[in-house]
């Protein structure tokens, strides 16, 4: 079945460091891919998305490129801030309604 | 500001109790979802609904049921709460255009069963 695998956390970085959170997927067909973020005490929010191969999603300085050949959608940010501390979830679409989420990666950024 | 509201932020219930978790959305969305979130397991889909009075089982429906009598409200029911149902429960909604436009999540209900 469809699934998403994310790198295990927690990831701890100093402010202004480069961030990569790896995400790979297994799916039949051509799913859309998403990154969601969950700040402490809140629900998940859509961070960025991509619908087809080589599409790049971007938002708030975060980027991810849909790589069909490696079935990956890695999240990157050039310079993280303390306010980026959160849990990040990679997800893929299943059919027209459902999202399949990864297990989440906790990011802690220290000043 | 559009939103999904979950009625309780924290809930403590006893083993064997019948528990209702309520979720209301104000976006006129057709689709609503219940997930549970556990450390190391991520989000797992319990039930979803694509219309009033319609429901579909997700990946882990055992021990749960749902009710959707009105479009804006989707209730999760634990018929007889057990300690292994201690978890964070997240409700979400999505309009008919599909997941490309994103799910809108509530802030969650942290349920403890003692």
């Amino acid at each position: 079945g469809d699934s998403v695998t994310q790198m295990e956390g927690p990831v701890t970085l100093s402010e202004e460091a480069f961030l990569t959170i790896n995400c790979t997927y297994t799916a039949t067909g051509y799913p859309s891919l998403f990154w969601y973020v969950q700040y402490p005490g809140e629900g998940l929010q859509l961070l960025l998305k991509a619908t087809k191969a080589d599409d790049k999603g971007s938002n708030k300085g975060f980027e991810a490129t849909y790589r069909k050949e490696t079935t990956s959608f890695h999240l990157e940010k050039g310079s993280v801030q303390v306010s980026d501390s959160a849990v990040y979830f990679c997800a893929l679409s299943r059919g027209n309604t459902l999202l399949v989420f990864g297990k989440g990666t906790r990011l802690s950024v220290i000043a | 500001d559009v939103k999904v509201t979950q009625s309780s932020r924290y809930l403590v219930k006893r083993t064997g109790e019948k528990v209702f978790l309520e979720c209301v959305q104000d976006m006129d969305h057709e689709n609503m979802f219940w997930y549970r979130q556990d450390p190391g397991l991520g989000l797992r889909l319990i039930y979803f609904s694509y219309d009033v009075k319609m429901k579909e089982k997700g990946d882990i429906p055992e021990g749960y049921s749902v009710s959707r009598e009105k479009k804006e409200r989707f209730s999760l029911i634990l018929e007889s709460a057990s300690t292994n149902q201690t978890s964070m429960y997240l409700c979400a909604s999505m309009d008919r255009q599909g997941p490309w436009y994103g799910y809108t999540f509530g802030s969650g209900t942290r349920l403890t069963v003692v």
Side-chain angles (χ1 to χ4, degrees):
Chain A
D2 298 346
S3 65
V4 174
T5 302
Q6 292 181 233
M7 62 186 289
E8 294 207 12
V11 174
T12 303
L13 295 173
S14 298
E15 213 166 18
E16 299 183 2
F18 185 87
L19 168 72
T20 300
I21 300 178
N22 291 336
C23 170
T24 58
Y25 68 90
T26 302
T28 54
Y30 302 98
S32 296
L33 300 174
F34 306 83
W35 277 98
Y36 279 75
V37 59
Q38 184 180 32
Y39 298 105
E42 299 182 13
L44 280 70
Q45 305 172 25
L46 178 61
L47 179 61
L48 55 82
K49 57 191 179 183
T51 189
K52 62 184 186 298
D54 300 325
D55 268 4
K56 178 186 282 189
S58 61
N59 187 24
K60 298 182 181 180
F62 292 89
E63 293 183 342
T65 301
Y66 192 145
R67 301 286 187 201
K68 187 167 178 290
E69 65 277 11
T70 55
T71 61
S72 65
F73 193 54
H74 304 321
L75 182 68
E76 297 182 335
K77 187 176 185 183
S79 176
V80 293
Q81 305 301 312
V82 172
S83 57
D84 293 326
S85 297
V87 182
Y88 292 82
F89 292 89
C90 186
L92 62 81
S93 60
R94 186 167 79 190
N96 293 325
T97 304
L98 296 182
L99 289 177
V100 176
F101 290 89
K103 294 183 178 180
T105 302
R106 182 176 298 279
L107 170 67
S108 294
V109 180
I110 54 177
Chain B
D1 193 18
V2 293
K3 58 185 173 184
V4 174
T5 302
Q6 295 184 233
S7 55
S8 302
R9 191 62 184 265
Y10 298 96
L11 214 51
V12 179
K13 296 293 182 180
R14 295 194 179 279
T15 301
E17 276 193 77
K18 190 169 186 176
V19 180
F20 293 85
L21 303 184
E22 305 289 346
C23 175
V24 177
Q25 51 98 359
D26 64 0
M27 296 163 284
D28 202 35
H29 282 173
E30 283 76 14
N31 300 283
M32 297 187 74
F33 310 85
W34 275 106
Y35 288 87
R36 62 178 284 177
Q37 181 179 10
D38 300 288
L41 296 177
L43 271 69
R44 293 180 290 167
L45 180 64
I46 304 170
Y47 268 96
F48 67 102
S49 168
Y50 54 89
D51 203 350
V52 175
K53 296 192 186 296
M54 306 304 291
K55 60 185 179 183
E56 295 284 346
K57 293 180 180 179
D59 299 317
I60 53 162
E62 296 78 19
Y64 303 94
S65 62
V66 291
S67 172
R68 189 149 180 221
E69 296 296 318
K70 294 185 178 182
K71 190 175 186 180
E72 67 270 19
R73 185 180 296 271
F74 191 36
S75 302
L76 180 69
I77 304 158
L78 287 65
E79 297 289 344
S80 177
S82 64
T83 55
N84 63 12
Q85 293 178 310
T86 291
S87 186
M88 170 69 85
Y89 290 88
L90 292 172
C91 176
S93 72
M94 181 193 78
D95 74 14
R96 70 174 63 196
Q97 296 184 75
W100 177 250
Y101 295 92
Y103 283 12
T104 302
F105 280 86
S107 297
T109 296
R110 184 166 295 282
L111 172 67
T112 302
V113 182
V114 298

